[in-house]
Amino acid sequence: MTISESKHAESTDRLGIVKLLAGITLLVSLSWEIIAGDHRYLSMTYLTIQFFVCVIFLYDFLLRILQSEHRGRFFVRHLFYLLISIPYLTLISWTGVRMTHDWGILVGLVPMLRAFLAMFLIVEWMVRSKRGGRMRWLFAAYLFTVVVFTYVSALVFYDYEVLVNPKLEGFGNALWWAWMNVTTVGAEIFPVTAVGKVVCVLLPSLGMMFFPIFTTYILQEYMPQQSNPSSSTPSSSTSPASISPASSASSSPDVSTPAPPASSASGAGVPEV
């Protein structure tokens, strides 16, 4: 590896850490906005944090497309990453339109998807750097996806239901509701808004989709491995005295196998017995 390639790898790793920290910051700010907000309008602090996080994601996209050999192909393949890195809330606020809290949370979840992908890549790197197998990588991705998606679903459910649902008394109840639904057990809190009903359908679907991965991982990690019968009897430990006549006869050359022809007085070749 040349010096330029090593510097490029170091800069990529550093930028990956920055993206991870940006994603965590965005998740923390979204949590604070929903739990401690007024559930009517978005605060300027949250809009500012989301703007700078999106700038980091856009800088990452610009740097990678400049370093790519085929920029047009890279742009087409990674167009989705560009679209979910745009600070839509900031652009809308610059136009003078003040969005309600409900619509603002939905639009604000778009950069959260980019942050989720950044954290997902970090999880992949951590698992594979420890030389974990494919099943361990799938299990780590399963846990990460379920935990993050369940937590974000609890945030969205709490934001949309807290003012209209009399059974929802706090964020703790929303978090309990989300985990009960992702495990397909269910809870006594029923959604009354359209967004809450959509989340209520998605959570059990996610749980049923990823449950086979959990079962397969447990079976592979904790089932006893079957021993190979051929490896329990090494052939090098067998002494010549322990070889039976039957085994020695079976190991001798086959008498029916023809040998090279031997010349006779008449010149005809006969097999040697």
Side-chain angles (χ1 to χ4, degrees), residues 217-232:
Y217 174 78
I218 295 298
L219 292 177
Q220 181 177 354
E221 289 292 325
Y222 297 101
M223 279 187 64
Q225 300 292 333
Q226 296 182 355
S227 58
N228 190 3
S230 60
S231 62
S232 59

Side-chain angles (χ1 to χ4, degrees), residues 7-24 56-57 59-61 63-64 67 114-123 125-126:
K7 290 183 178 180
H8 173 65
E10 291 178 359
S11 62
T12 303
D13 294 339
R14 292 176 181 175
L15 188 57
I17 296 176
V18 172
K19 289 189 297 181
L20 173 63
L21 296 177
I24 295 176
I56 294 175
F57 293 152
Y59 173 76
D60 172 67
F61 181 85
L63 184 63
R64 291 171 61 190
Q67 295 175 350
R114 181 66 181 88
F116 173 79
L117 293 176
M119 292 184 285
F120 190 81
L121 294 177
I122 295 298
V123 172
W125 175 79
M126 292 176 58

Side-chain angles (χ1 to χ4, degrees), residues 32-73:
W32 181 263
E33 180 68 21
I34 291 178
I35 297 176
D38 59 354
H39 304 284
R40 288 182 175 85
Y41 296 101
L42 297 175
S43 64
M44 187 57 63
T45 303
Y46 172 71
L47 293 177
T48 304
I49 293 176
Q50 189 185 66
F51 171 74
F52 283 107
V53 169
C54 290
V55 168
I56 294 175
F57 293 152
L58 291 175
Y59 173 76
D60 172 67
F61 181 85
L62 180 62
L63 184 63
R64 291 171 61 190
I65 196 173
L66 291 177
Q67 295 175 350
S68 178
E69 297 180 357
H70 306 281
R71 297 179 180 178
R73 186 183 306 173

Side-chain angles (χ1 to χ4, degrees), residues 29 31 35-36 52 59 74 101 103-104 123-124 139 167 212 256 266:
S29 62
S31 303
I35 297 176
F52 283 107
Y59 173 76
F74 180 88
H101 191 84
W103 283 102
V123 172
E124 179 183 6
F139 182 67
K167 294 186 177 181
S256 62
S266 60

